[in-house]
């Protein structure tokens, strides 16, 4: 049989930011928990290379168990081909010892640290020069790393990425201070730093540090202005609007969204218009202007319908799918007190979400449980909350809301 490269495993590794060695290390951690640390067979980067190349099409059972747990999908969905009918049915792994009371906390901290280390290694942030002459190629490579960082946010949440983002910000800022470059490179570098500051703002948001989130978002706007990049400015204004809304400053959020909607990007790019109109709808709902909120929702939907799927979106805007529009619609209905409509829109968002967007799945699942609880439907809320798995989602904001739901259900 001809060797065929395992592109499905390769894509999963890229989605989660794993290098060959990083994946091998994570597999050893999982197999150690399942089969015992003393097992003599250890996974190495050579094993992973053979899986990716197609040289090995059905790995050892212990590795398959680890891969299925890690990527949350069956082995065949990762591109592996069973040797025969019987081999496709993996034997059940040994029962893991019962966790202690503190095990979930230790596990979350370990996962967070592992994810951050793996992403940092995958991005190779140390390769960005911090002295000498900086070229457009250097800035383009930096942009590519920032795009990949944004992709990880949707998969694993922002909390484990905060240290990576801030470390890379330090390196890019050092490059801006020490390197020499021309005016074109200078503007591109400011724009790249603005984008990274926006990513750091969302990571800080997930970590529950709203002060740091505001600082990074303000810096993002400043850098976007220095870079004379209107798209980066529109992104920064959008982030500042949602930050003001979360802080209870709804009229400030309203003014920010209205100002951002006057930009050329909002007039010409339907993606920006859809996002900003959704933000505007939420703000209108919070200040009690229901007709204006409804008009903004219609405008957001109309803008989203105008998006040309063949036109590539900026990586950070990849989350703005029909599912996200439904989710933002639900938030607007919730702010207006239309809880049943909010529940319907949240359910639709969860139905439309792609499987790889685990952070969004967790976010809207918690939102659904909250809405069911607010309507007195404790049975459905309990079922929804019990099905939410935040093990691999690094967001203190989401896990904190889920803990509140569980506490309320326990007291009910």
């Amino acid at each position: 049989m001809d060797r065929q490269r395992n592109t499905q495993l390769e894509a999963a590794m890229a989605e989660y930011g794993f290098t060959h060695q990083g994946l091998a290390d994570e597999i050893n951690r999982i197999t150690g928990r399942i089969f015992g640390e003393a097992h003599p067979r250890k996974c190495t980067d050579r094993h992973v290379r053979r899986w990716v190349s197609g040289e090995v099409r059905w790995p050892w059972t212990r590795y398959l168990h680890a891969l299925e747990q890690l990527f949350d999908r069956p082995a065949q969905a990762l591109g592996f081909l069973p040797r025969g009918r019987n081999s496709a049915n993996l034997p059940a792994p040994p029962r893991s010892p019962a966790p202690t009371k503190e095990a979930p906390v230790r596990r979350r901290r370990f996962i967070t640290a592992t994810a951050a280390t793996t992403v940092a290694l995958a991005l190779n942030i140390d390769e960005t020069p911090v002295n000498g002459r900086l070229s457009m190629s250097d800035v383009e490579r930096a942009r590519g790393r920032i795009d990949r960082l944004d992709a990880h946010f949707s998969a694993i949440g922002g909390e484990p990425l905060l240290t990576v983002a801030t470390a890379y910000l330090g390196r890019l800022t050092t490059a801006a201070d020490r390197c020499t470059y021309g005016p074109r490179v200078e503007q591109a570098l400011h724009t790249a730093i603005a984008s990274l500051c926006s990513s750091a703002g969302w990571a800080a948001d997930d970590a529950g540090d709203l002060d740091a989130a505001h600082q990074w978002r303000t810096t993002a706007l400043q850098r976007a202005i220095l870079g004379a990049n209107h798209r980066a400015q529109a992104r920064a204004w959008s982030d500042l609007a949602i930050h003001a809304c979360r802080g209870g400053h709804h009229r400030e959020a309203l003014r920010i969204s209205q100002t951002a909607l006057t930009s050329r990007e909002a007039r010409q790019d339907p993606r920006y218009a859809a996002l900003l109109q959704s933000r505007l709808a939420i703000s209108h709902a919070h200040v009690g202007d229901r007709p204006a909120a409804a008009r903004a929702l219609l405008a957001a939907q109309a803008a989203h319908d105008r998006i040309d799927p063949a036109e590539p979106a900026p990586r950070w805007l990849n989350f703005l799918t029909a599912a996200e529009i439904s989710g933002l619609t639900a938030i607007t209905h919730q702010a207006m007190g239309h809880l049943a409509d909010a529940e319907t829109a949240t359910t639709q968002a969860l139905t439309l979400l792609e499987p790889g967007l685990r952070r969004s799945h967790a976010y809207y699942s918690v939102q659904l449980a909250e809405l069911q609880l607010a309507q007195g439907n404790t049975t459905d809320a309990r079922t929804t909350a019990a099905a939410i798995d935040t093990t691999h989602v690094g967001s203190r904001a989401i896990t904190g809301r889920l803990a509140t739901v569980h506490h309320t259900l326990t007291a009910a």
Side-chain angles (χ1 to χ4, degrees):
M1 183 180 294
D2 294 335
R3 182 187 301 183
Q4 186 173 356
R5 191 171 185 85
N6 189 339
T7 56
Q8 288 172 273
L9 176 61
E10 203 167 25
M13 289 174 61
E15 176 188 338
Y16 286 73
F18 279 120
T19 61
H20 290 160
Q21 186 59 56
L23 180 58
D25 291 342
E26 189 67 8
I27 286 173
N28 285 329
R29 184 188 67 80
I30 296 174
T31 55
R33 190 184 73 244
I34 297 175
F35 298 95
E37 296 291 348
H39 198 286
R41 293 176 178 174
K42 296 293 184 182
C43 183
T44 67
D45 60 333
R46 181 172 177 271
H47 287 98
V48 178
R49 285 197 300 271
R50 294 177 72 195
W51 301 340
V52 171
S53 69
E55 181 181 349
V56 174
R57 311 191 75 174
W58 191 250
W60 290 329
T61 299
R62 64 194 312 267
Y63 294 154
L64 289 172
H65 278 303
L67 287 161
E68 289 188 342
Q69 286 193 25
L70 182 59
F71 292 111
D72 193 25
R73 64 196 76 173
Q76 287 164 283
L78 290 168
F80 295 114
L81 299 177
R83 300 187 187 93
R85 183 179 301 177
N86 293 332
S87 66
N89 300 316
L90 295 180
R95 185 180 297 274
S96 300
T100 64
K101 185 176 183 180
E102 295 181 352
V105 176
R106 291 200 303 270
R107 176 172 168 75
R108 175 162 298 283
R109 287 175 180 167
F110 186 86
I111 289 171
T112 298
T114 301
T117 302
T118 302
V119 172
L121 287 171
L123 294 180
N124 290 324
I125 63 176
D126 290 341
E127 291 185 359
T128 300
V130 292
N131 49 54
R133 185 160 184 85
L134 209 61
S135 67
M136 279 301 297
S137 296
D138 294 318
V139 179
E140 288 298 332
R141 282 190 287 272
R143 284 175 176 169
R145 293 184 179 100
I146 296 166
D147 282 347
R148 295 202 299 277
L149 188 68
D150 286 336
H152 289 303
F153 176 85
S154 299
I156 64 176
E159 187 174 354
L161 302 179
L162 182 56
T163 54
V164 182
T166 52
Y168 198 31
L169 274 165
R171 191 167 186 90
L172 287 183
T173 303
T174 301
D177 291 339
R178 295 181 181 175
C179 293
T180 59
Y181 38 78
R184 180 165 167 260
V185 172
E186 181 179 13
Q187 285 193 336
L189 182 57
H190 281 307
T191 300
I193 293 175
S195 178
L196 187 53
C197 284
S198 294
S199 301
W202 280 104
D205 217 17
D206 265 4
D209 192 343
L210 297 185
D211 290 338
H214 185 263
Q215 176 188 341
W216 289 124
R217 285 162 176 162
T218 302
T219 306
L221 180 59
Q222 293 169 345
R223 290 286 185 167
I225 293 171
L226 289 173
N229 189 291
H230 296 288
R231 290 194 170 193
Q233 291 175 41
R235 178 183 182 182
W237 280 122
S238 172
D239 289 348
L240 284 169
I242 198 66
H243 186 89
C245 189
R246 287 183 178 174
H249 308 297
H250 301 299
R251 292 204 176 274
E252 178 186 344
L254 181 64
R255 296 302 176 218
I256 291 173
S257 295
Q258 288 172 330
T259 300
L261 277 165
T262 64
S263 67
R264 180 179 63 191
E265 280 62 39
R267 294 193 304 270
Q268 296 180 352
D269 192 324
R271 286 188 174 88
Y272 284 87
L275 179 62
L276 291 170
Q277 288 287 1
S278 297
R279 300 275 193 253
L280 183 65
I282 294 170
S283 297
H284 276 308
H286 277 295
V287 300
D289 194 342
R290 295 184 179 185
R295 289 194 298 271
L297 282 180
L298 289 174
Q301 185 61 62
H304 192 265
D305 289 343
R306 294 198 307 273
I307 293 175
D308 181 1
E311 184 73 21
R315 178 62 66 90
W316 74 270
L317 262 178
N318 278 351
F319 76 95
L320 194 67
T321 61
E324 185 68 16
I325 294 296
S326 294
L328 295 173
T329 298
I331 295 172
T332 305
H333 283 302
Q334 184 179 19
M336 290 190 291
H338 302 161
L339 300 185
D341 291 335
E343 182 180 352
T344 299
T346 303
T347 302
Q348 183 179 32
L350 287 166
T351 302
L352 294 172
L353 273 174
E354 297 176 8
L357 301 178
R358 292 187 294 179
R359 180 191 180 277
S360 296
H361 271 279
Y363 182 93
Y364 286 120
S365 294
V366 172
Q367 180 170 295
L368 179 60
E370 290 171 337
L371 288 166
Q372 292 166 337
L373 199 54
Q375 295 174 87
N377 190 349
T378 56
T379 301
D380 285 349
R382 187 169 280 108
T383 301
T384 300
I388 300 173
D389 181 11
T390 59
T391 303
H392 296 286
V393 176
S395 172
R396 198 172 306 179
I398 294 174
T399 55
R401 287 171 58 189
L402 180 58
T404 301
V405 169
H406 283 302
H407 178 76
T408 305
L409 287 168
T410 300

